[in-house]
Amino acid sequence: MSMDRVAAFGGDGWRWLNPPPDWHVDERGLRLVSGPGTDFWRTTHNGQERDDGHVLGRMLTGDFRMTATFSADYRDRYDQAGLMIRIDERNWIKAGIELDGGLHMSAVVTRDFSDWSVLPAPEAADGPVTVELERDGETVTVRYRTAAAPVTMVRMAYLPPADEVLAGPMCAAPEGSGFEARFTTLRLAQA
């Protein structure tokens, strides 16, 4: 993990896990270009263990709600952008929009093995999408919304208890050459 601190979204203390090859933070938010062949995945389905996607995260303790609004130029199968909450390489949750024959709201929960849930995304998902991860004790609730769709709960999942987790915007391009994602807002509310 890169220990370099980054000022973003009105605060400092952000740090990269696997910095992307191209990124910029300013008053409009975070713009990043994912590296090619990057992903977060463990074992299930194809036996791969990948832990080289990009996360700009903060170390958080206790209960919190993180909400991000973003858009991306998805091009290749499995291009993905959204949020991640992570204890370590074996215990994490990522959620966002992923391209697989069309845009889908995607959630992957990993506790040694990754599982994947998808819902067809509304047509407006090619514009700004808002994804929310809410941690309440050992439970993480995933929600999303678009301009054309109300807040929808996608998943409620167990995440092992941990004193600290890394949470923040994520992006990866498992089969592609990389793509651009833009996170325009990020809100964090801690209990």
Side-chain angles (χ1 to χ4, degrees), residues 13 38 78 88-89 113 135 144 153 173:
T38 54
Y78 303 135
D88 56 27
E89 71 278 0
F113 297 88
R135 182 184 187 197
Y144 84 105
M153 185 179 94

Side-chain angles (χ1 to χ4, degrees), residues 76-159:
D76 298 305
R77 186 175 188 203
Y78 303 135
D79 281 356
Q80 57 195 262
L83 288 175
M84 176 178 254
I85 178 172
R86 174 186 171 100
I87 296 171
D88 56 27
E89 71 278 0
R90 298 167 102 45
N91 296 279
W92 49 263
I93 296 172
K94 67 178 178 177
I97 298 298
E98 187 162 346
L99 180 63
D100 184 16
L103 295 177
H104 292 82
M105 178 58 210
S106 170
V108 176
V109 176
T110 298
R111 293 179 308 273
D112 285 323
F113 297 88
S114 293
D115 71 39
W116 184 27
S117 304
V118 293
L119 297 170
E123 289 181 27
D126 60 353
V129 173
T130 300
V131 171
E132 177 181 280
L133 296 179
E134 181 178 6
R135 182 184 187 197
D136 183 6
E138 299 171 350
T139 303
V140 174
T141 304
V142 177
R143 299 178 184 92
Y144 84 105
R145 72 176 180 273
T146 67
V151 175
T152 302
M153 185 179 94
V154 175
R155 181 133 187 208
M156 186 178 287
Y158 171 81
L159 187 69

Side-chain angles (χ1 to χ4, degrees), residues 1 6 15 23 31 38 47 50 52 60 74 78 80 87 114 131 141 144 146 149 162 165 177 180-181 185 187:
M1 178 185 313
V6 175
R15 60 182 76 176
W23 64 276
R31 181 196 64 79
T38 54
R50 306 279 300 277
D52 56 0
L60 300 174
Y74 305 99
Y78 303 135
Q80 57 195 262
I87 296 171
S114 293
V131 171
T141 304
Y144 84 105
T146 67
V165 296
S177 59
E180 182 175 312
T185 61
R187 289 186 283 293

